[in-house]
Structures are given as C-alpha cells and as structure tokens.
Amino acid sequence: MNLIQEKFAELDGQTITTFTMINDQGMEVSTIDYGCTITRIVVPDRNGTLENVVLGFDTIEEYQQHSPYFGAVVGRHAGRIANAEFTLEGTTYHLAKNNNGNHLHGGIKGFDKVIWNTEVVEEKDSLTLVFTYLSKDGEEGYPGNLKMKISYTLNNDNELQISYEGVSDQKTVVNVTSHSYFNLSGNLKRDVLNHKLTLKSNRFLELDEELIPTGEILPVENTSFDFRSGRKIIEGTDTNDRQNIIAGNGYDHPFLLTDNHNKEIYLFDDESGRGLIIETNQPAVVLYTGNQLADDFSIQGINSRKYLGLCLETQGLPDSLNHPHFPSAILEKDQGYYSVTKYIFTN
Ligand code: FUC
C-alpha cells in the first residue's frame, strides 16, 4: 500500500490537499479534503489496463464552477426536502433553499463545499483516510452541533469502504451519502447507456415534477424500474414511462433495497469487463443517470454531456421528514449515526 500527498489548490488562505491511496494491485483512489471529494478511481479492465472510472476535475475552480457534486460527500441530508422545511418536536426548521425553493444535498454550503480535517491510518493491508468536521448548530438551517467522522478505506482486494459516523448535541436529522459519478468504460471513453445494472429492489419512490417523493411507493414489476435480473441503463432513457420522463429521460429515483451486505447493487460494463458491486447497511439507493449533466464544460478533456456518468447513492429515503411512513432520518441527541458502504471493483 502506498500513499501520496500533494497540494491541490489554495482556497481562502487554506491549502487543499490531494491524498492518493494506491494498493498492491495498482488500484488508486484520489481524494481532496474539500468535500471529501473523490477526484479519481483507477481500476483495471479485463486486460489489466488501469483507467479512471469516475468523473472528476483537476482544479478547484472547476469544482466550484461546474461540479454537480462530482465525487463529494453530500449532507447533512442528501436528496431533496420539500419547501426546505421540516418539523421536529413541534419546531419548524427552515433550511437553505437551493433547488427550486426546495433543499437539496445539504444546502448552499453543504458538506461538499467545506474543508475537512484529515488523518491517515496505515495498516499492513489497508490505508484509511479519516475526515472530521464539526457542523455547527444552525448550519444551513439544521439544529444541533453535529460532529462528523467519515473514513475511506482502500484494501488490497480492490475494495473501497466508506463509513460515516455522526453525533449531535440536539435531536436532528442526518442522511449522508457519497456522490461519485461512475463510468466503468475507463477514462470516459463512452457514456453509461450500455452499462448493465442489477438491483435487489422490488419497490421505488414515485417522484413529482420537482423530483420530490410524492409519498407513493411503487412496485417495479413490468416497468423500466425492474433491475432485479439486470437491465441496461438505455432501457430507461428511451421509454414512455412518465417517471423516466420527469427525471429528464432516465432515472433519478430512490430504490428500496431488499437485502443488505449481499451484492445488492451490481453495475457491469461488458465492453471493458469492469464491474462494481456495492454493499451497504442503508435502506435505499438513489440511481441518478446524469440526466441533468450540462454540456458547456469539459471533464479532463472530454465534453460533459448527459449520461456520461451515473450515481448510486446509498442512503435513507429523501424527504422522509415529510412522509412519516418512510424510514426515519432523525438522529436523537447523543446517539450515534452510522452508515457504511463498500465498493468492490471487479475485472
Ligand atoms: C442527484 C439528483 C439530483 C441532482 C443532483 C446533482 O443526486 O438526485 O436530481 O441533479 O444529484
């Protein structure tokens, strides 16, 4: 295992550092302490060729100007909260409005736009980056001083594990995830339309025109949302299903997982031979197929465009605060929040 640290940029008088973890198989994961952002994941294809499989930039300016949360940790609450408000113990909290009057991915300056403290833990067969941050009471409208600790561990089996821990001095809400856009073709050679996704999920959330959950939980049977036996992404970008159309011709939906820690999410690109198995303790995964990716900038020399990457955001259900029948995102005072997701790359 090997770790390289180098300066990435200066921001407001602070240095932003890139940490690159490299394992004995040559897999590399590069992360900056701004937003705990994963800027690069390099893994082998079926011939052993090492290439990057996530969308990321080389400069801080590009992250600030163009990034739709590329590779970042999003929080305190991932996804949309309707009208940017919720009520807890009789108090209504007004959150930052950053998406059509709604709250999205933690607000205007969420976890993705702050600089985290970093520590490195080296073990014989793994390396861990430990990021910590204190989100103060009232930040982006949320109650409670919330202490977060996020760990990225790379081992020699081409597995990256991300764990999220949090504790608050007041009752609050937490639902954190990682927002990497995967593209297994390698160095963005193709878009993700021919990637095949398999999901252990029978049900998904219906969305309204603003991509907010309506409260209805729909069965996947006989729809383009049935990934149980595997399905290419293109089958949902080109349908008449109203849910695919309102998402911008694709997917932007939370799927409820039926099985945890058991290969519940599997993405495969036949042409490169690369696969990605995702296992989590979370109740859901949001599949977002890059439907809103703008085309007026480039990503490491490649023109950005729709479907250039897809996100698999393991998490609780968005807007659960306004839908009491959804699993709760409430964190009690002094109780621990714990979420963990493992990304296993195959070739
Ligand atoms: C995803 C989506 C949103 C949004 C954002 C950049 O998580 O759910 O619709 O476009 O990322």
Side-chain angles (χ1 to χ4, degrees), residues 164-180:
Y164 312 79
E165 291 164 76
V167 67
S168 168
D169 62 1
Q170 267 185 63
K171 191 168 180 164
T172 190
V173 298
V174 186
N175 180 32
V176 187
T177 190
S178 174
H179 210 286
S180 280

Side-chain angles (χ1 to χ4, degrees), residues 34-35 69 73-77 96 98 103-116 133 135 139-140 142:
Y34 173 81
Y69 305 91
V73 159
V74 294
R76 294 187 190 190
H77 197 292
N98 60 334
H103 181 83
L104 175 65
H105 290 337
I108 296 161
K109 192 170 181 185
F111 287 175
D112 60 300
K113 292 185 186 68
V114 297
I115 301 175
W116 293 64
Y133 175 67
S135 173
E139 189 173 280
E140 300 299 305
Y142 291 101

Side-chain angles (χ1 to χ4, degrees), residues 29-279:
V29 177
S30 295
T31 308
I32 53 175
D33 41 15
Y34 173 81
C36 307
T37 301
I38 294 173
T39 57
R40 224 166 56 107
I41 297 181
V42 170
V43 290
D45 69 2
R46 66 160 65 81
N47 303 314
T49 305
L50 291 161
E51 289 169 318
N52 181 25
V53 292
V54 291
L55 306 194
F57 291 121
D58 296 324
T59 67
I60 190 71
E61 291 76 21
E62 288 169 289
Y63 278 104
Q64 291 182 306
Q65 284 162 26
H66 306 299
S67 181
Y69 305 91
F70 282 170
V73 159
V74 294
R76 294 187 190 190
H77 197 292
R80 293 179 173 80
I81 297 179
N83 301 318
E85 62 183 28
F86 66 92
T87 302
L88 206 55
E89 310 266 283
T91 304
T92 299
Y93 293 93
H94 300 280
L95 303 176
K97 293 185 175 176
N98 60 334
N99 191 261
N100 295 328
N102 303 309
H103 181 83
L104 175 65
H105 290 337
I108 296 161
K109 192 170 181 185
F111 287 175
D112 60 300
K113 292 185 186 68
V114 297
I115 301 175
W116 293 64
N117 292 319
T118 314
E119 255 177 69
V120 178
V121 180
E122 298 187 46
E123 280 171 78
K124 189 171 155 281
D125 285 313
S126 68
L127 271 175
T128 300
L129 299 175
V130 181
F131 298 100
T132 51
Y133 175 67
L134 171 66
S135 173
K136 296 230 173 83
D137 183 24
E139 189 173 280
E140 300 299 305
Y142 291 101
N145 289 297
L146 174 69
K147 258 193 212 167
M148 288 297 303
K149 174 175 158 182
I150 299 180
S151 304
Y152 289 8
T153 301
L154 177 67
N155 67 18
N156 276 324
D157 298 321
N158 288 357
E159 296 175 356
L160 172 69
Q161 178 172 290
I162 303 185
S163 69
Y164 312 79
E165 291 164 76
V167 67
S168 168
D169 62 1
Q170 267 185 63
K171 191 168 180 164
T172 190
V173 298
V174 186
N175 180 32
V176 187
T177 190
S178 174
H179 210 286
S180 280
Y181 289 66
F182 296 102
N183 180 328
L184 300 179
S185 71
N187 296 346
L188 310 184
K189 275 195 288 297
R190 299 176 289 278
D191 57 38
V192 296
L193 291 173
N194 281 313
H195 282 35
K196 187 176 166 190
L197 180 66
T198 310
L199 286 182
K200 294 187 182 176
S201 172
N202 302 329
R203 297 182 304 157
F204 69 104
L205 295 195
E206 182 185 66
L207 302 179
D208 70 14
E209 306 280 328
E210 292 188 351
L211 305 179
I212 306 266
T214 62
E216 290 296 318
I217 306 180
L218 303 178
V220 299
E221 267 98 6
N222 302 318
T223 73
S224 52
F225 291 78
D226 191 349
F227 285 94
R228 292 174 296 181
S229 309
R231 172 181 287 274
K232 284 190 173 177
I233 298 300
I234 198 165
E235 295 176 47
T237 58
D238 202 11
T239 67
N240 291 325
D241 190 311
R242 178 112 199 98
Q243 283 296 306
N244 291 126
I245 294 168
I246 61 172
N249 299 310
Y251 301 92
D252 198 346
H253 291 75
F255 288 79
L256 282 130
L257 297 168
T258 53
D259 207 1
N260 287 97
H261 301 297
N262 191 16
K263 302 186 180 170
E264 56 269 34
I265 304 165
Y266 176 50
L267 184 66
F268 180 64
D269 173 43
D270 193 33
E271 212 168 322
S272 67
R274 290 189 182 96
L276 168 61
I277 297 163
I278 303 180
E279 298 180 335

